[in-house]
Amino acid sequence: MSVKERLFRKSGASYVVLIDPEKLDQATGAETASRCSAAGVDALFVGGSTSDEAQFERVVTAIKSTSSIPVIIFPGNAHQIVRSADAVLFMSLLSGRNPRFLIEEQLKGVPRIREYGLETISMGYLLVASDKPSAVERVSQTTPIGRDDNDCALTHALAAQYFGMDAVYLEGGSGVGLPVPVEMVRHVRQGISIPLIVGGGIKSPDDAAERVAAGANVIVTGNVLEATGSARLLREFVQAVR
Ligand code: 1GP
């Protein structure tokens, strides 16, 4: 079964944990992956703002050597395409108008994806405004979609679908105070037929469950588990999403 088929279940939603190799060493990365796997987390996204390629590769390799959980690169730039991963999100920041993140970084990544034979999961990445500017907004220098602009979000999501992309990601931004509004998740879900990933600022199993009820196919969390590291909270997230 491909990583894509495992990520986008035929029934029920998936829960993914985001790991940033800049914030942990190999041992901690491997330990976190084992804990996620034991709790029933469906996959790991590995990505971040770092461009330290060697550190990125070390953490992914350590995770793969200790755990069978699928590792999917969620690249911040083309340097984060590494051989040891299972798949890569081939994503375009469609909500922005910065050519670097629409197509330029992707072109830089193509030769390595080809060389390593990595599975690609194509994704329209849509940044949604929160209570404060997110790191993605700062780094990409793009304007997010307004929190109440449901039609703008849907139009962009449909553009991803019409391009033939595998999925849409509604991103609130890592570590923000307010996740993507439930109403926006519902509006986009009702208008598209491809899988919908939602992440950024999700802090509780209830936050996650509300977005699954509104139609999210995949929920992504990062900071909440980095802060607590709690195995119980991990299991609660798995239960809430399923
Ligand atoms: C960021 O959606 C992810 O791309 C995770 O965000 O760290 O806020 O959970 P958080």
Side-chain angles (χ1 to χ4, degrees), residues 80-155:
Q80 294 174 1
I81 311 293
V82 296
R83 192 188 295 273
S84 43
D86 296 298
V88 57
L89 294 170
F90 197 75
M91 53 200 256
S92 178
L93 180 53
L94 294 182
S95 59
R97 301 295 176 265
N98 182 343
R100 182 176 164 208
F101 296 100
L102 279 166
I103 185 62
E104 290 173 5
E105 284 294 324
Q106 293 81 346
L107 291 173
K108 286 184 204 160
V110 161
R112 278 207 226 181
I113 292 174
R114 186 180 191 206
E115 183 190 342
Y116 302 160
L118 282 173
E119 178 182 337
T120 50
I121 301 172
S122 58
M123 191 177 85
Y125 189 53
L126 311 185
L127 182 60
V128 178
S130 186
D131 57 330
K132 58 182 179 189
S134 64
V136 184
E137 187 177 338
R138 280 196 305 274
V139 172
S140 68
Q141 299 189 324
T142 62
T143 307
I145 294 169
R147 289 183 65 74
D148 53 4
D149 205 345
N150 292 343
D151 286 332
C152 180
L154 176 57
T155 303

Side-chain angles (χ1 to χ4, degrees), residues 11-95:
S11 64
S14 297
Y15 176 47
V16 171
V17 170
L18 171 68
I19 288 183
D20 183 348
E22 193 167 84
K23 296 182 185 164
L24 37 80
D25 58 18
Q26 291 147 263
T28 320
E31 190 191 312
T32 307
S34 299
R35 223 167 340 113
C36 287
S37 185
V41 174
D42 293 281
L44 298 178
F45 283 174
V46 184
S49 47
T50 178
S51 52
D52 184 343
E53 200 176 324
Q55 163 73 354
F56 201 91
E57 174 98 61
R58 278 195 296 272
V59 171
V60 175
T61 306
I63 291 171
K64 287 308 300 174
S65 65
T66 53
S67 168
S68 60
I69 191 166
V71 174
I72 305 170
I73 303 167
F74 179 40
N77 59 57
H79 296 291
Q80 294 174 1
I81 311 293
V82 296
R83 192 188 295 273
S84 43
D86 296 298
V88 57
L89 294 170
F90 197 75
M91 53 200 256
S92 178
L93 180 53
L94 294 182
S95 59

Side-chain angles (χ1 to χ4, degrees), residues 18 23 74 125 136 169-176 198-203 220-224 226:
L18 171 68
K23 296 182 185 164
F74 179 40
Y125 189 53
V136 184
Y169 193 136
L170 285 178
E171 169 70 270
S174 187
V176 296
V198 179
I202 294 175
K203 291 180 201 58
V220 185
T221 68
N223 277 275
V224 69
E226 279 169 18

